[in-house]
Structure formats: C-alpha cells, structure tokens
Amino acid sequence: MTNLLSAQFSKLFKNKMFYAAVIIFAAIGFVSTMLFFRYIPDLAHFAEEAKANGDTEYLQNMYETSIMFDISSRMDFHIIVFAPAIFISMFIGREFDNNTIRNKVIVGSSRLLIYLSNLIVCFVAQLIMHIVYCLSAFIPSIIVYLKYRSIINMRFFDISFKDFLLSQVIGIGIMLVCSSLYLLITMTAGSRTRAVISSIIVILAMFLVSNKINTILYVPNEEDYNYYIPTYTETTDTPDTSNFIEFDPYFGYDSYTNYVESYRGKNLKGGKRFLYETIDDTLPTSQALYIMSSDATSPRTGKIILCDLLFSVVLSAVGIIIFNRKELR
Amino acid sequence: MDYYVLKTNNLCKNYKSFKALDSLTMNVPRGAIYGFVGKNGAGKTTLIRLICGLQFPTSGSYELYGIKNDDKSIALSRRRMGAVVETPSIYLDMTAKENLKQQYRILGLPSFDGIDEILELVGLDNTGKKKAKNFSLGMRQRLGIAVALCGNPDFLVLDEPINGLDPQGIIEIRELILKLNHERKITVLISSHILDELSRLATHYGFIDKGRIIKEMSSEELEAACRKCVRMTVNDTKALSRVLDDMNIEYKILDDTTADVYAKPNFSQLAAALAKENCEVVTIEEHDESLESFYISLVGGAEHD
C-alpha cells in the first residue's frame, strides 16, 4: 500500500484546493481568535483603573472572562464536519472524472488497498487543516496571554489539559467518521458532481437531525418541568427567569413559555433515551456541538469515542464492499 | 511458457438485459499485433474493460499469461500489462513528466529512471512544463500510451487509439505501435473499426460482432482471403491441379469443385488443356475482395447464422 499512499500524498501536496483549504482554515483560526479576544485591551484598561482605585471585587469578577485558548482550539469542529464534504468529494471524485482511477486497477492494485489509501490521505488532509487552524489560533492567543497576564487574571486553559486532550481525541474521531462517510459517498457516486451534491445533502440532513435530537434530549423530566417555567414576581411584571438553566430565552418570554410548554411530557426515558443518545453520540455534527459547548469529562466521552471508531469501521467496510463490486468505465 | 498472452473462454457480459459479450472466445498470441475489429457497439471496449479488471464477467473466464481471472495472483499478470481504455487516463493539471512520475509511484518503482526515454519514445520529450490540459488530442493519446508503458509492460492494450486523430497523428501512433512491437517485442491488442489502418499494423485479427468472435485469422490468411484471383468451378479439381501445375500457375483448391487461380492465364489454352483431361469448366469469375468487403461478408454471414 505504500506505493498507493505515496502517489496519493504526492497528488494531495500538489492540489491547489488543499492549499486553499489550509489557508482558509489558518485565516479562520487567526481571525476568529482575534475577534474572540477583541475585548481584552478594554478589559486590561478597566483592570488597571480598578487596581488604581483598589476595586478588588471588580478584579475578582474578571476571572469569569479570562482568556481561554482551549475554546478557540475547538471552534473549528463545526467547519471540520462540513469542509471535507466538499474537499473529499472534489479530490477523490476527480479520479473518476478523469478516469485516473483506472491506472491503479489496470496495473493490479487491490481495490481494498486503493480504498484504504484514499481513506488515510483524506483523514490526514483533515488533520493538517485542523492543526493549521490550532496553530493559527494559538499564535494570537499566546501573544494576548503573554501581553496581558500581568494585568488581567488569565488562564490559558479553562479546562484541565487532560480534558483538552480528550476533546482533541473526540475531534480526531469526528475527522475519522467524516473521512469514512464522505469517501463512501464519493467512491459510490463515481463522479465529482454527484459526490459533492450527495455529501452536502448528507451533511445538511445530519445537522437537522442533530438539532432535533439535541432539543428532544434536553427536555426536562416531568417532576422538574415547572422549574423551567418563568415565574412572575409580585413587584414586577417581567418574569423571573433565574431558575432557567438549560434553555436559552431568545424568543421573548411569552413565546418562550409556549415553546417550553409544547415539550411538556415529551422527555425521553429508558431504552428510547439510550437510542437517541447513541444516535446523538454517533453523528459527527452532534459531536462538534458537544465539543464546543461542554467539557470532555462527561461520562459520555468514552461512548462517543467508541461510537466514532465503530461508525468509521462500518462505513469503511460498506464502502470497500461497494467499491469492490463497482464496475468502472 | 504460454504461447498466448490472453485467452478468453466463453466470456459473457450482460448489462441488465443487454448482452454485450456472448460466449466470446479468442486468443492473442505472444508477440502479435492483434487487431480487434468490429463496428460500434460490437463489444470491443467491453472486452477490454473485462481483461483490464475494470469490470467483471457475467460468466466465462479469461487468462492472462496463463493465470485465470479469478485467481488471486492475476494481479501479478496485470503488472505486465498497460492499457489505454477509450480515453487516455491522465491528470490534466500535471505535465507529461509528472503524469509518468505519478504512475511510477503507483507501480512502486524505486526511481524515476526511464521516464525521459518513454517520453522520447512517444515524442513528448519537448513538452517541458506544459500541462496536459493544453495538449492536443494526439499528444494526449501519446501521453496515455506513455503512462501505459510505465513499468515496462510486455502486453499493451489500446482501445481505438486513433479515434479523432488527424492523418499525421494516425501515422505517428502507427509508427509508435510498430516500433514497440518490433523493438521491444511488446504484444499489442488494438481495437478499431478503421480496417484500412489496422491492415497496416496487425499480424492477427479477431472479428467481433454482437459480442461474439466471428473469425480469428492471421494477416497471411486474411491476405490470402482478400487476394485478387479468378475463381473457377470445375467438375474435377484434380485435373485442374495437373493442368495448372503444368502451366506454372499459382492456385489454391478451396473444395472438390472450386479453386482460386492467382494469375490471369490464357483461358483458351487453359480450356483446351482441361478439355483434354475431360474436365468441364462450370463457371469462371473474377474475385477481388477488399478488407471491408471481407469484413461485411463475415458479419453478413454471421447475421444469417
């Protein structure tokens, strides 16, 4: 397989689209991090004023808004699930359009090895994009951290380093699943155009399913339901939402209450909940949301990583079986 | 050592309800330029796709260098072949040299030695940094052949390589094929529906129609079949033989009553000599078969089977 890998990597590192994607990831990493921390200079200014005025309470509260590199290093996972849909479809799909896949089959290369070499190269391409993103996010983060850490009480990681690494492992799992999925679609579709369209449809469908499942999973238990309904205080006609923890009241309070009420009694339990959670743990779109919003010490982390491995193996096996029987022109 | 590089045995290929190959049996001798002749849709490209491993037979089998298609070691046989199927499989955004380097990597060859020689052989040694997308059709065809030549194959499969080429391009491809066969002893299977061009190249022919081989013959046999002659029908071919031998005239006995005479004898003298032998002449007709008419008669004969 080394010869096939050598050929594919050579093609990858000559591919303009790959370099364009790397540049885009680098730009997003740098710009999004700069935007994320754009308030730091103002914060530093207020901190210096508070220090001069001896306002210790203000300085303590600033801890909540400290710089956190680990967040910016996870922000690209919502792009990681989408970008390969285009890249892999175009990169591998071109082999079918210009029929260069024939060159490998005619000289006796095994179809299994052709498929696996494509899978490895697609995965490595995503990994490179993510590493470039992290490095681009790291550079402004470290600059800001070093410049302002004496003024503001800052932490470079909000979570422990171990949890940070775990979130990256989940990220690698996401990349593996995405590589397997989009490669299966592309090798089955047999043309660049069909592969791109099919991959985009699949990823959009996954986003919709993830959103729906996420909403259903967060419906509270019946006994806790009233805890989430806003209550009106006696002295004011605006609702007291201090007991809201899970839901985000972005609709406005009345319509939000109706929205919450519509889910009353629809919380999942038992086997059904397990099934929905498993689907949620398997979908790379759900995992991307999970990484960006929660910490990696949740008990579901191990299950997520296992689901990634299993899902990748199943997708790859299906892809290999289909490609082995595929009639090439 | 096998005499035949490729042997097919009742090879069938169905696409849903359409029978593309129907019990096709053919043999490509080692060292030959095998002209695979048939009209559009006869099954030429289908056969080539099967033997290249791109598609799978519905039934039947084939052997490459004596190894059957369902044998796992067929991959080793495939390393000895190169093919251009329909259109050349090249990377349009790479130069000629980069295309060959890519094929060398796929083959796992330890170095890029020999690339310059291959490019020179196909006449693309001066293309420099020009990308394949800027090549003419003839140049792309030659690049496709160059890619097929990577790894020093001794069996080359070319599917209609002169399609769309101008006369100069056709001549170049023809001379290249002859050079590969004569100098490098490469066996060539070339499919075409342009008979005239094949007749300048092929040492063996396989005529295909509706997925079946109608006839296989060597170029000598074809030449004999198409040679200008006088076809005579007599009641005693032995007597005819004696008379023609006495007159030193070349001939060929076809059956008990028919013979082809490859000269224009003095028919008066011939008739008189035959009369002395009590041999009656039933018919005399001029026979001049072109390759096209021979092919049409073959296919037409097949239609009436």
Side-chain angles (χ1 to χ4, degrees):
Chain A
M1 192 162 78
T2 42
N3 43 319
L4 291 169
L5 280 172
S6 165
Q8 281 299 77
F9 275 119
S10 167
K11 209 158 67 90
L12 177 71
F13 295 131
K14 286 190 174 80
N15 189 275
K16 287 178 190 165
M17 198 174 45
F18 171 67
Y19 288 109
V22 165
I23 290 168
I24 288 169
F25 268 74
I28 291 173
F30 188 83
V31 171
S32 65
T33 307
M34 292 301 287
L35 287 173
F36 190 73
F37 299 135
R38 66 189 182 281
Y39 63 90
I40 295 292
D42 289 337
L43 203 64
H45 172 70
F46 294 137
E48 278 172 334
E49 274 188 3
K51 265 186 188 162
N53 296 334
D55 191 349
T56 51
E57 191 183 341
Y58 180 84
L59 289 171
Q60 273 180 342
N61 287 339
M62 276 182 58
Y63 186 77
E64 302 298 324
T65 56
S66 298
I67 189 168
M68 291 165 282
F69 166 70
D70 56 282
I71 287 183
S72 61
S73 73
R74 288 181 272 155
M75 293 291 279
D76 70 325
F77 285 120
H78 61 293
I79 310 170
I80 279 282
V81 295
F82 189 80
I86 312 280
F87 174 73
I88 291 174
S89 309
M90 304 265 294
F91 181 66
I92 302 293
R94 183 174 283 193
E95 285 196 342
F96 288 91
D97 283 358
N98 62 17
N99 290 312
T100 47
I101 192 143
R102 289 199 289 229
N103 293 345
K104 297 175 185 174
V105 176
I106 287 171
V107 297
S109 298
S110 145
R111 290 197 183 206
L112 166 67
L113 295 181
I114 292 172
Y115 195 96
L116 288 176
S117 61
N118 284 346
L119 181 64
I120 291 170
V121 170
C122 290
F123 172 72
V124 168
Q126 286 185 86
L127 198 58
I128 292 172
M129 290 175 205
H130 176 61
I131 290 171
V132 164
Y133 174 92
C134 288
L135 287 173
S136 304
F138 179 76
I139 293 166
S141 301
I142 197 79
I143 292 170
V144 168
Y145 178 73
L146 291 174
K147 189 174 176 183
Y148 294 104
R149 65 176 174 163
S150 58
I151 304 167
I152 307 169
N153 185 17
M154 301 174 86
R155 294 164 296 151
F156 202 71
F157 287 103
D158 185 38
I159 56 176
S160 70
F161 189 67
K162 177 192 155 197
D163 292 340
F164 166 73
L165 282 180
L166 266 177
S167 67
Q168 295 299 311
V169 168
I170 296 175
I172 288 171
I174 290 176
M175 288 183 244
L176 197 55
V177 170
C178 287
S179 303
S180 308
L181 176 63
Y182 298 129
L183 186 64
L184 164 62
I185 293 171
T186 306
M187 301 289 268
T188 308
S191 91
R192 219 172 4 166
T193 311
R194 276 199 297 266
V196 170
I197 292 170
S198 305
S199 298
I200 290 174
I201 290 172
V202 164
I203 187 65
L204 289 175
M206 282 201 298
F207 266 122
L208 288 171
V209 169
S210 290
N211 265 333
K212 188 70 186 171
I213 290 179
N214 233 285
T215 308
I216 292 170
L217 285 177
Y218 276 103
V219 172
N221 295 323
E222 184 60 44
E223 52 269 25
D224 297 328
Y225 209 83
N226 286 333
Y227 186 69
Y228 294 92
I229 304 298
T231 54
Y232 286 84
T233 62
E234 287 176 0
T235 55
T236 173
D237 49 336
T238 53
D240 175 9
T241 60
S242 59
N243 56 2
F244 272 92
I245 301 172
E246 296 286 346
F247 294 110
D248 229 343
Y250 61 92
F251 288 122
Y253 299 125
D254 286 340
S255 56
Y256 183 71
T257 307
N258 292 335
Y259 172 76
V260 170
E261 278 294 329
S262 70
Y263 279 94
R264 184 185 282 276
K266 289 181 182 170
N267 59 302
L268 294 178
K269 286 178 187 164
K272 211 171 179 182
R273 185 170 190 89
F274 179 77
L275 177 65
Y276 273 72
E277 276 183 351
T278 304
I279 296 171
D280 194 47
D281 291 342
T282 307
L283 291 173
T285 41
S286 298
Q287 290 175 23
L289 292 170
Y290 172 75
I291 290 179
M292 290 193 304
S293 60
S294 64
D295 65 274
T297 54
S298 160
R300 285 170 65 187
T301 301
K303 188 180 167 201
I304 285 173
I305 293 170
L306 188 62
C307 283
D308 281 344
L309 286 170
L310 284 172
F311 198 27
S312 304
V313 167
V314 167
L315 287 170
S316 300
V318 169
I320 288 165
I321 290 169
I322 292 174
F323 183 59
N324 260 340
R325 293 175 191 180
K326 190 172 177 62
E327 308 237 295
L328 302 172
R329 298 188 69 82
Chain B
M1 199 189 270
D2 266 331
Y3 178 68
Y4 295 111
V5 167
L6 170 69
K7 289 196 312 194
T8 72
N9 184 23
N10 290 322
L11 208 51
C12 291
K13 178 63 183 174
N14 298 339
Y15 295 110
K16 292 186 184 168
S17 58
F18 174 66
K19 210 162 199 173
L21 294 182
D22 183 8
S23 300
L24 188 140
T25 299
M26 63 183 276
N27 304 286
V28 178
R30 189 184 290 268
I33 299 178
Y34 191 99
F36 199 31
V37 186
K39 59 187 180 189
N40 291 337
K44 304 187 295 296
T45 302
T46 303
L47 172 79
I48 287 172
R49 285 186 186 138
L50 291 189
I51 64 173
C52 289
L54 299 174
Q55 296 184 1
F56 311 101
T58 306
S59 65
S61 64
Y62 62 88
E63 288 177 20
L64 269 176
Y65 295 97
I67 298 176
K68 268 187 115 172
N69 57 295
D70 51 8
D71 194 318
K72 284 199 169 100
S73 55
I74 189 84
L76 291 169
S77 292
R78 293 208 193 287
R79 289 294 295 248
R80 297 173 68 178
M81 70 182 277
V84 181
V85 184
E86 277 191 301
T87 52
S89 308
I90 54 179
Y91 297 98
L92 295 173
D93 54 347
M94 291 188 190
T95 63
K97 198 162 188 172
E98 284 167 352
N99 266 281
L100 297 200
K101 279 185 177 174
Q102 192 66 6
Q103 189 64 10
Y104 266 55
R105 289 187 190 103
I106 289 169
L107 288 165
L109 296 172
S111 72
F112 295 132
D113 294 342
I115 283 183
D116 292 331
E117 284 78 14
I118 293 174
L119 288 174
E120 197 181 330
L121 182 66
V122 300
L124 293 176
D125 46 326
N126 292 325
T127 50
K129 291 188 179 170
K130 194 176 185 181
K131 298 225 186 315
K133 62 185 173 195
N134 297 320
F135 283 7
S136 67
L137 182 56
M139 288 170 78
R140 289 186 194 187
Q141 291 278 32
R142 282 184 278 147
L143 180 56
I145 294 173
V147 169
L149 289 174
C150 293
N152 281 324
D154 45 37
F155 180 39
L156 196 60
V157 179
L158 302 175
D159 186 12
E160 308 210 20
I162 58 174
N163 262 5
L165 295 186
D166 60 16
Q168 181 64 30
I170 292 173
I171 291 168
E172 285 167 358
I173 295 290
R174 184 205 312 151
E175 285 175 0
L176 173 61
I177 293 169
L178 286 169
K179 194 172 184 180
L180 291 171
N181 181 251
H182 294 153
E183 290 180 14
R184 292 191 173 200
K185 311 294 178 201
I186 294 176
T187 306
V188 182
L189 169 64
I190 171 170
S191 78
S192 182
H193 53 269
I194 303 175
L195 301 175
D196 184 52
E197 192 49 40
L198 269 186
S199 67
R200 296 165 199 262
L201 272 173
T203 60
H204 292 74
Y205 294 86
F207 295 92
I208 180 174
D209 188 51
K210 291 178 185 161
R212 280 181 164 251
I213 287 284
I214 309 299
K215 199 169 183 70
E216 278 188 297
M217 56 203 317
S218 67
S219 55
E220 291 84 15
E221 287 167 349
L222 182 62
E223 206 178 303
C226 297
R227 201 169 157 186
K228 201 169 180 177
C229 63
V230 171
R231 187 159 284 176
M232 294 180 68
T233 309
V234 297
N235 65 345
D236 184 358
T237 49
K238 283 184 184 162
L240 178 63
S241 298
R242 287 194 295 274
V243 167
L244 291 173
D245 285 338
D246 288 342
M247 292 173 81
N248 278 328
I249 292 172
E250 194 185 343
Y251 65 93
K252 183 180 174 184
I253 303 294
L254 298 175
D255 54 44
D256 290 341
T257 57
T258 319
D260 283 344
V261 180
Y262 299 111
K264 261 201 170 161
N266 184 320
F267 282 102
S268 304
Q269 282 182 358
L270 179 61
L274 287 172
K276 278 186 189 170
E277 298 278 340
N278 293 319
C279 178
E280 280 180 27
V281 178
V282 179
T283 58
I284 297 178
E285 56 184 16
E286 266 202 9
H287 193 74
D288 183 9
E289 189 119 62
S290 67
L291 188 52
E292 275 116 1
S293 58
F294 178 76
Y295 171 69
I296 298 294
S297 69
L298 267 183
V299 172
E303 276 175 353
H304 292 122
D305 278 346

